[in-house]
Amino acid sequence: MTQEQAQTSDNRLSVVLITLFKGVVYRDEQTAVWQDLLKLQSAVRDYVAVLGLELKLFEEEGYAWLAHRPKDPDEGEPALPRLVTRRSLSFAVSVLLALLRKRLLEFDALGHDSRLVVSFEEIQQDMQSFLPAGSNEAKLMDQLQTHINKVVELGFLKKMKPPFEGAPPTYEVRRIIAGFIDSQWLDQLQTRLKEYQDYAQGVNE
């Protein structure tokens, strides 16, 4: 490898790392970075391991991110400070994430290969029994939109371009939600949703 080729490879590694430190890398949105990530993933894993991180790469689904690497109790070394901070989610956002993951699970069970797109109205129907009851319907819809916007910000929903002006908003459920909500969490999904519903009904009383 020539010096110029080595420098080009270093530059690509730097771009991949910087992009990962900023957030999730998506195959369909960052094609060049994604291709370099696949080629340089060994170097990426070695680099981020020094910082107490690990690469979560889902090649088939087309996304990757950095996560805190759990401390091995057999290593005998003190745990490193967290570079990736935990995010505290509100009750309503947690419920919304659970319902979206459930929808994606049911969607995949039907054998669909396309993207799961949901409307604001569908999200409203799913969330109806979990939102505090109130006479001000407009305020409740504004609150629901705020929760949806938060999930978009987190990267689990992507707002779709409306087919025409004034069309109701629709959202793609990003498959990365499956990477964050694992099988153990899903095993407890129905129990969690029941607990959330009981909580919401308690607030409404």
Side-chain angles (χ1 to χ4, degrees):
M1 181 183 294
T2 66
Q3 182 177 357
E4 182 178 353
Q5 289 173 326
Q7 184 175 3
T8 300
S9 180
D10 288 344
N11 288 342
R12 288 177 176 172
L13 176 60
S14 296
V15 171
V16 169
L17 288 167
I18 291 171
T19 308
L20 282 168
F21 280 124
K22 286 183 175 181
V24 179
V25 174
Y26 292 101
R27 177 181 55 203
D28 59 348
E29 294 180 358
Q30 300 146 298
T31 306
V33 174
W34 179 261
Q35 292 301 324
D36 286 338
L37 172 59
L38 296 182
K39 296 174 183 176
L40 301 169
Q41 62 175 291
S42 179
V44 170
R45 293 183 190 280
D46 290 343
Y47 185 95
V48 301
V50 178
L51 302 174
L53 302 175
E54 61 181 351
L55 175 65
K56 298 287 189 178
L57 174 63
F58 293 79
E59 187 171 351
E60 185 176 342
E61 301 290 354
Y63 52 78
W65 76 92
L66 297 178
H68 179 72
R69 179 164 51 90
K71 180 182 179 297
D72 187 342
D74 297 328
E75 289 181 353
E77 295 292 334
L80 294 172
R82 294 187 67 91
L83 183 60
V84 179
T85 57
R86 294 182 181 273
R87 297 188 179 186
S88 178
L89 302 179
S90 69
F91 162 76
V93 171
S94 297
V95 172
L96 179 52
L97 288 173
L99 294 171
L100 291 172
R101 182 64 184 100
K102 183 183 178 186
R103 267 190 176 268
L104 183 61
L105 187 66
E106 294 169 347
F107 181 79
D108 289 342
L110 295 175
H112 294 298
D113 294 325
S114 58
R115 298 176 299 173
L116 171 58
V117 176
V118 295
S119 66
F120 180 90
E121 288 74 15
E122 289 174 319
I123 296 176
Q124 178 186 352
Q125 291 172 6
D126 287 348
M127 289 285 291
Q128 195 68 47
S129 60
F130 300 99
L131 294 174
S135 57
N136 192 333
E137 184 71 15
K139 183 177 180 180
L140 285 177
M141 293 305 97
D142 286 343
Q143 291 175 345
L144 179 56
Q145 186 64 63
T146 298
H147 303 324
I148 293 174
N149 292 343
K150 180 61 178 180
V151 176
V152 171
E153 178 188 330
L154 291 170
F156 298 119
L157 280 177
K158 178 182 179 182
K159 189 173 184 179
M160 306 294 290
K161 184 177 180 180
F164 56 89
E165 186 176 354
T170 56
Y171 304 86
E172 177 190 348
V173 180
R174 306 305 301 265
R175 292 193 170 274
I176 191 173
I177 195 173
F180 280 88
I181 300 180
D182 58 20
S183 58
Q184 181 180 0
W185 198 97
L186 283 176
D187 289 340
Q188 303 170 6
L189 180 60
Q190 295 303 328
T191 301
R192 287 172 183 260
L193 289 179
K194 181 64 168 58
E195 291 173 352
Y196 292 154
Q197 195 166 32
D198 290 344
Y199 175 85
Q201 290 174 351
V203 171
N204 294 340
E205 294 175 353

